[in-house]
């Protein structure tokens, strides 16, 4: 066999192998698969956490598989979204801390000391039923969920005097978007960090053609418009977050009686986390107040303050709003809210509305008529269908093309040899 023929064959083999590798390669945007027994946790690092020493996120845990030997632990993995990091942690780990991957040291006079920041100790297993106001049914785990910092919820670490941050777990949809439901809905969030509650974002993944405006009764809650139908029963919830237990509270929820009819319920149902509440309804206002000097009321971390069910009875646009007039901290009596204004850090009120989903209308299924002609030739083969080559077929086609090219090259070489 001539050297030229060997060269052609080697080139053909090389081209074929390169084509096979290219077909089996994985997109660079895809993240590697996690190992069995591990959970993947995402983290949205606030812009304020970056500085001259900190350029990425870190994660730390002190018990369980692969526990960290030193602070600040492991450097988290980057994603293709700015500010979003992830790390795979064994499911036997129950508590983690996110940080900005720097050790601030012990010298309180050094610049780096205050530039090293972290979250509080975060439970990394799951939420029990009613453990979180955002997930009243609980969650099976936090695998594939993202932790987002609330920069208004901070406290001082009693050991080193540094600021630590709280936040919330959310279902992560990718592209920096997250929400309270496992599947992405019409309303989701994309805040890198937030104060009080994330800002809703309308779904922009729909087709670019303008969709017809939803018809029905528009009900506005906390700046978000919801659409319901006459006859629907809707559920309004106001949540309260405080940095410490409260001694007393006085507030009200206002609604439009021409459109909304309050469904009968006990005060214990309407104000579930305040015992001994005094409440009444008058002219479209649900008033409530309570006081407990001995033990107070605990809203640390966020809990349901008011939950009301309404029946939609009118067609006019409406709104529901909760206002807290007065509220103070139990141990010192310091005002948290006074004159309907929040006057203390770490206090937040959030409002949401749940309306029934509209029915889904689908196109009728059309069945093609069956050919009943008795004279039709049933032995006639069907026309071949051209399908794009995939997988092994592609490799076969590449191989055939390369072999044909090699054969043509051999013919040319032989002609030159005989010239």
């Amino acid at each position: 066999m001539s050297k030229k023929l060997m060269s052609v064959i080697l080139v053909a083999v090389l081209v074929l192998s390169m084509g096979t590798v290219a077909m089996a390669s994985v997109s660079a945007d895809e993240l590697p698969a996690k190992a069995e027994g591990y959970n993947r946790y995402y983290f949205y690092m606030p812009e304020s956490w970056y500085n001259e020493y900190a350029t990425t996120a870190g994660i730390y845990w002190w018990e369980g598989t692969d526990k960290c030997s030193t602070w600040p632990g492991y450097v988290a993995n980057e994603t293709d979204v700015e500010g979003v990091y992830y790390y795979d942690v064994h499911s036997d780990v129950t508590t983690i801390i996110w940080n900005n991957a720097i050790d601030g040291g012990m010298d309180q006079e050094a610049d780096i000391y205050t530039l090293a920041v972290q979250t509080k100790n975060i439970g990394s297993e799951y939420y029990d039923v009613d453990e979180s106001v955002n997930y009243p049914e609980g969650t099976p785990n936090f695998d594939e969920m993202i932790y987002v910092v609330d920069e208004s919820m901070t406290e001082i670490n009693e050991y080193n005097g540094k600021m630590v941050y709280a936040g919330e777990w959310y279902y992560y949809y990718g592209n920096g978007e997250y929400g309270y439901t496992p599947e992405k809905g019409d309303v989701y969030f994309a805040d890198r960090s937030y104060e009080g509650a994330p800002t809703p974002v309308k779904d922009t993944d729909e087709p670019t053609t303008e969709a017809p405006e939803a018809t029905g009764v528009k009900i506005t809650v906390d700046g978000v418009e919801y659409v319901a139908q006459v006859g629907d029963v809707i559920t309004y919830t106001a949540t309260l977050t405080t940095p410490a237990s409260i001694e007393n509270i006085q507030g009200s929820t206002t609604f439009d009686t021409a459109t909304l009819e309050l469904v009968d319920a006990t005060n214990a149902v309407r104000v579930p986390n305040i015992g001994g509440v005094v409440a009444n309804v008058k002219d479209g206002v649900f008033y409530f107040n309570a006081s407990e000097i001995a033990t107070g009321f605990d809203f640390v971390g966020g809990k349901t303050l008011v939950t009301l069910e309404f029946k939609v009875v009118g067609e006019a646009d409406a709104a529901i709003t909760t206002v807290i007039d007065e509220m103070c901290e139990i141990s010192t009596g310091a005002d948290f809210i006074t004159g309907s204004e929040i006057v203390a850090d770490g206090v937040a009120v959030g409002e949401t509305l749940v309306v029934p989903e509209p029915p889904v209308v689908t196109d009728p299924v059309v069945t093609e008529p069956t050919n009943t002609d008795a004279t039709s030739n049933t032995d006639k083969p069907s026309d071949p269908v051209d399908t794009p080559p995939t997988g092994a077929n592609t490799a076969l086609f590449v191989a055939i093309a390369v072999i044909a090219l090699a054969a043509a090259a051999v013919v040319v070489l032989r002609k030159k040899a005989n010239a």
Side-chain angles (χ1 to χ4, degrees), residues 308-319:
L308 303 174
E309 280 193 340
F310 298 94
K311 183 176 182 180
V312 181
V313 295
E315 298 182 352
D317 293 349

Side-chain angles (χ1 to χ4, degrees), residues 369-379:
T370 304
N371 186 358
T372 58
D373 186 359
T375 62
S376 63
N377 184 3
T378 57
D379 295 331

Side-chain angles (χ1 to χ4, degrees), residues 43 45 49-51 53-60 71-77 85 97-104 112 115-119:
F43 176 60
M45 182 157 147
W49 285 28
Y50 294 91
N51 52 61
Y53 303 103
T55 59
T56 187
I59 185 171
Y60 178 84
W71 177 265
Y74 301 106
V75 174
N77 302 299
Y85 300 86
I97 296 175
W98 290 104
N99 56 66
N100 60 351
I102 58 175
D103 183 354
I112 194 173
L115 295 178
V117 292
Q118 65 176 78
T119 65

